[in-house]
Amino acid sequence: MANTGTLGEIIENEVYKLPENNINDRITDWLNSQGYPLEMSVAEVLQKLNFNVRQSEYYIDEESTQHREIDIVASLQKEIGDKLIRISLILECKVSKDKPWIIFTSSNTRLASPARIAQRAGSKIGTIILRNLAHEKEIQDLKLFSLPERPGYGLTQAFTSGNDVAYNSCISVSKATRAIVKQADQIRNDRYVNISFPILVIDGRLFETYLNDSNEMSVNEVSQGILLWRNPIIGMPHTVINVITKDALEDYLTRIRMDIIKIFDYISENPSLISREPQVTLRN
């Protein structure tokens, strides 16, 4: 006898007829296709490293005034003087196992050592701190602010046409970073300080491509890269985005956590960094 009823009722009845292991497998497959396991595993790594982790965090997109979602916001914080300084990692997670991501790099894509620190996303006081830290050699040497021999200037997903997932991810994580640092400035007093770093995590393969000395295209697989994006979306001349594969993430985050603690300690030993007139101007 044929099923009768509305389309929704028919679909619902058919789903309930599925064996329990069948529906469980289908749900698992769907969750995997949407990238949820990646987000959950990244959050677990961050929690293991004692970051404060918020998943599916919402922010207001300044351009559209709509609420948008970012996968993970992870932070460490320390009270220094009358300020609560929070350093946040803003993470967008993408699964791309069948379509590698490609970062276009060049040795000519550079930033001066002070600019590598000063051109980061911060609240008003966070920006003052960054610019005051920018000439400190001890801070310049941190992994958090380092650049590879060939930084990236572009990012794309291979074997696609039309919608560029990599580009859209850069936009999304950058907008979220800008919104989150601005949240600290929306509080009436100036006690809260935020400095944030955008990160793209991919469950897939990442390749670097560049022109070699013979003026030929070289393509190499890498575990991470840094995009020195000439898009002022975070309010700086450049938006610096770390792009890292899932397999390299835990080691990277372990080192970054150590760097954040060193920054807190350095500010604690030099509290004038919070309030004095910045010593660095923003330069390309």
Side-chain angles (χ1 to χ4, degrees):
M1 181 177 177
N3 284 326
T4 60
T6 66
L7 178 61
E9 290 170 341
I10 293 172
I11 293 173
E12 184 178 8
N13 288 337
E14 291 301 315
V15 168
Y16 279 115
K17 289 178 183 178
L18 290 171
E20 190 65 24
N21 63 334
N22 190 307
I23 187 63
N24 288 350
D25 290 344
R26 289 180 63 190
I27 290 173
T28 299
D29 290 343
W30 179 81
L31 288 170
N32 283 323
S33 72
Q34 298 299 307
Y36 288 105
L38 174 61
E39 179 184 329
M40 295 163 70
S41 65
V42 171
E44 184 177 6
V45 171
L46 287 158
Q47 289 164 349
K48 186 169 71 173
L49 293 171
N50 294 318
F51 280 87
N52 175 36
V53 178
R54 304 193 303 276
Q55 294 175 251
S56 299
E57 182 77 353
Y58 281 85
Y59 66 94
I60 296 177
D61 182 337
E62 288 184 331
E63 186 177 349
S64 67
T65 70
Q66 300 296 312
H67 282 84
R68 307 288 186 194
E69 184 180 357
I70 190 70
D71 290 333
I72 300 172
V73 176
S75 59
L76 296 173
Q77 64 185 35
K78 183 172 183 177
E79 193 159 359
I80 301 175
D82 63 348
K83 307 297 183 190
L84 183 64
I85 300 176
R86 177 175 295 163
I87 297 180
S88 301
L89 308 179
I90 316 302
L91 300 103
E92 179 88 349
C93 304
K94 291 296 178 184
V95 175
S96 189
K97 293 184 179 180
D98 59 337
K99 296 175 181 176
W101 283 28
I102 302 171
I103 184 166
F104 299 91
T105 66
S106 171
S107 59
N108 295 321
T109 304
R110 307 301 302 170
L111 271 183
S113 295
R116 288 191 278 107
I117 299 172
Q119 291 192 32
R120 304 293 179 138
S123 60
K124 290 178 181 177
I125 298 176
T127 299
I128 290 173
I129 292 173
L130 287 166
R131 291 171 69 181
N132 282 329
L133 287 171
H135 273 306
E136 304 296 328
K137 185 67 167 57
E138 184 176 337
I139 303 301
Q140 291 177 0
D141 291 340
L142 295 179
K143 174 71 174 176
L144 188 61
F145 297 113
S146 66
L147 292 180
E149 179 184 355
R150 290 181 300 272
Y153 59 86
L155 185 70
T156 193
Q157 185 184 46
F159 312 134
T160 61
S161 60
N163 184 41
D164 192 331
V165 173
Y167 174 81
N168 292 335
S169 297
C170 289
I171 292 289
S172 177
V173 76
S174 299
K175 284 185 173 183
T177 300
R178 179 65 171 165
I180 286 166
V181 296
K182 281 196 166 187
Q183 289 175 4
D185 293 329
Q186 293 169 354
I187 301 172
R188 289 180 179 269
N189 60 47
D190 62 356
R191 166 172 163 73
Y192 297 95
V193 180
N194 185 276
I195 296 169
S196 288
F197 298 86
I199 300 172
L200 295 177
V201 182
I202 62 170
D203 187 359
R205 301 174 73 180
L206 177 65
F207 289 82
E208 171 196 24
T209 184
Y210 61 94
L211 286 180
N212 61 27
D213 294 338
S214 301
N215 209 32
E216 296 176 342
M217 187 81 73
S218 289
V219 178
N220 301 313
E221 186 165 8
V222 294
S223 61
Q224 62 187 93
I226 296 179
L227 179 63
L228 201 56
W229 202 24
R230 289 194 66 85
N231 186 329
I233 197 167
I234 64 165
M236 295 291 168
H238 293 84
T239 299
V240 184
I241 303 175
N242 280 271
V243 185
I244 187 161
T245 59
K246 175 187 175 183
D247 291 342
L249 183 66
E250 185 166 0
D251 180 61
Y252 170 79
L253 290 175
T254 300
R255 287 179 289 167
I256 292 307
R257 182 182 184 278
M258 294 171 60
D259 285 354
I260 292 173
I261 292 171
K262 288 178 182 177
I263 291 171
F264 286 147
D265 290 344
Y266 197 88
I267 297 171
S268 296
E269 295 167 3
N270 302 274
S272 64
L273 293 168
I274 298 172
S275 57
R276 76 169 186 243
E277 188 67 21
Q279 301 302 303
V280 172
T281 58
L282 297 178
R283 297 181 299 171
N284 291 356

